Amino acid sequence: MKHIQHVFFDLDHTLWDFEKNSDLAFKKVFDKQNITIDLTSFLEIYRPLNHQYWKLYREEKVTKEELRYQRLKKSFDAVNFTISDDLIDVIAIEYVEFMPDFNHLFEHTFEILDYLKEKYQLHIITNGFEEIQTKKMQSSNILHYFKEVITSDSVGVKKPNPKVFNFALEVANAKNENSIMIGDNVEADIQGAIDVGMHAIHFNFIGENVIDSRFPSIKSLLELKQYL
């Protein structure tokens, strides 16, 4: 990979520890709204539902509004907690507002970004919502590492749609053969990048059984030093 000039990162679940920060945001919301259900039980239901709805959102099968409402509604229903739609709307808004208050990153994030910034131009490609992703990076003090930040909102479609990657390459003034994508989601990040001729590295932090000759898989961000 000696010819690589541009490194594109996913944000959530790759650099920014989404699950940890999400849990803390929910605790803050529940405390504020005096919601007395067991948070651990709620999150056990919410996390897989959230992943399911994000997949539907990527596939253009639900809207942003449906994503934000349904993942909460179904989670509260599953723990037998009666809640009004008005309160669900409040929770959805506050959850997004509070999320950037928490800034946990994956281990070695700063070390690997400091290492890479000396050799490459760094960028972000994220399916996250425009209004929150920049705040996340500002709060966690990593925004300054990246020359370009491309969100799906700004493109109008979501990864793995090739329009997102082609738009990112154009904005960054990068060629696909000189660019690499690093992300946790094989479908959205890795396959999406490969489909437009980019290189890719899978950040397999949860230790999935993923073996594919088209891309390497790493469990720690420090392993990027082996490739870049």
Side-chain angles (χ1 to χ4, degrees):
M1 297 186 179
K2 294 179 181 179
H3 55 291
I4 296 297
Q5 298 174 3
H6 297 264
V7 179
F8 294 83
F9 277 96
D10 176 44
L11 181 61
D12 296 332
H13 307 286
T14 300
L15 299 174
W16 198 78
D17 193 337
F18 180 89
E19 299 298 353
K20 183 178 290 186
N21 295 321
S22 173
D23 292 356
L24 292 168
F26 270 120
K27 184 179 187 308
K28 186 173 179 178
V29 174
F30 279 24
D31 288 346
K32 181 179 177 184
Q33 296 299 332
N34 295 314
I35 296 172
T36 57
I37 60 174
D38 180 67
L39 180 59
T40 300
S41 299
F42 174 85
L43 292 172
E44 287 176 355
I45 300 294
Y46 174 83
R47 289 189 193 115
L49 275 172
N50 185 46
H51 288 300
Q52 291 172 23
Y53 271 92
W54 268 101
K55 187 175 190 303
L56 292 172
Y57 181 64
R58 289 197 305 270
E59 296 169 351
E60 310 283 348
K61 293 178 180 178
V62 298
T63 65
K64 181 194 298 187
E65 291 72 25
E66 289 170 332
L67 162 68
R68 286 180 167 177
Y69 174 81
Q70 291 293 343
R71 63 186 180 182
L72 290 171
K73 172 63 173 170
K74 291 192 175 183
S75 297
F76 283 116
D77 286 348
V79 295
N80 298 313
F81 186 80
T82 303
I83 188 169
S84 69
D85 285 350
D86 286 344
L87 184 52
I88 287 179
D89 288 340
V90 170
I91 293 170
I93 292 169
E94 291 187 341
Y95 170 73
V96 172
E97 287 179 350
F98 293 161
M99 187 85 82
D101 292 346
F102 304 99
N103 53 21
H104 292 280
L105 300 169
F106 279 98
E107 189 176 14
H108 307 304
T109 292
F110 287 115
E111 182 177 348
I112 199 63
L113 291 178
D114 283 331
Y115 166 79
L116 293 172
K117 74 177 183 180
E118 302 300 329
K119 304 170 66 177
Y120 310 97
Q121 289 191 26
L122 308 182
H123 316 282
I124 291 285
I125 308 178
T126 172
N127 274 351
F129 302 136
E130 182 84 31
E131 67 267 29
I132 190 171
Q133 298 303 78
T134 299
K135 292 180 181 178
K136 289 177 180 178
M137 289 184 280
Q138 288 173 333
S139 175
S140 55
N141 198 30
I142 60 172
L143 181 61
H144 65 282
Y145 285 102
F146 303 103
K147 182 182 179 189
E148 302 293 344
V149 177
I150 294 92
T151 67
S152 58
D153 277 355
S154 66
V155 186
V157 292
K158 292 163 279 295
K159 296 179 293 184
N161 192 308
K163 290 181 180 179
V164 176
F165 295 93
N166 286 327
F167 180 83
L169 290 169
E170 182 179 354
V171 168
N173 195 26
K175 296 180 179 179
N176 54 1
E177 65 267 24
N178 296 332
S179 302
I180 191 165
M181 179 71 195
I182 299 161
D184 69 292
N185 189 294
V186 172
E187 175 192 6
D189 300 314
I190 308 307
Q191 188 62 54
I194 290 173
D195 284 346
V196 299
M198 294 172 66
H199 302 272
I201 295 176
H202 178 218
F203 180 46
N204 187 12
F205 70 95
I206 60 176
E208 295 176 296
N209 186 21
V210 178
I211 301 175
D212 194 313
S213 60
R214 297 173 302 163
F215 56 85
S217 184
I218 61 173
K219 293 183 180 179
S220 166
L221 290 174
L222 280 185
E223 292 179 59
L224 289 173
K225 291 183 178 183
Q226 299 174 19
Y227 303 97
L228 295 169

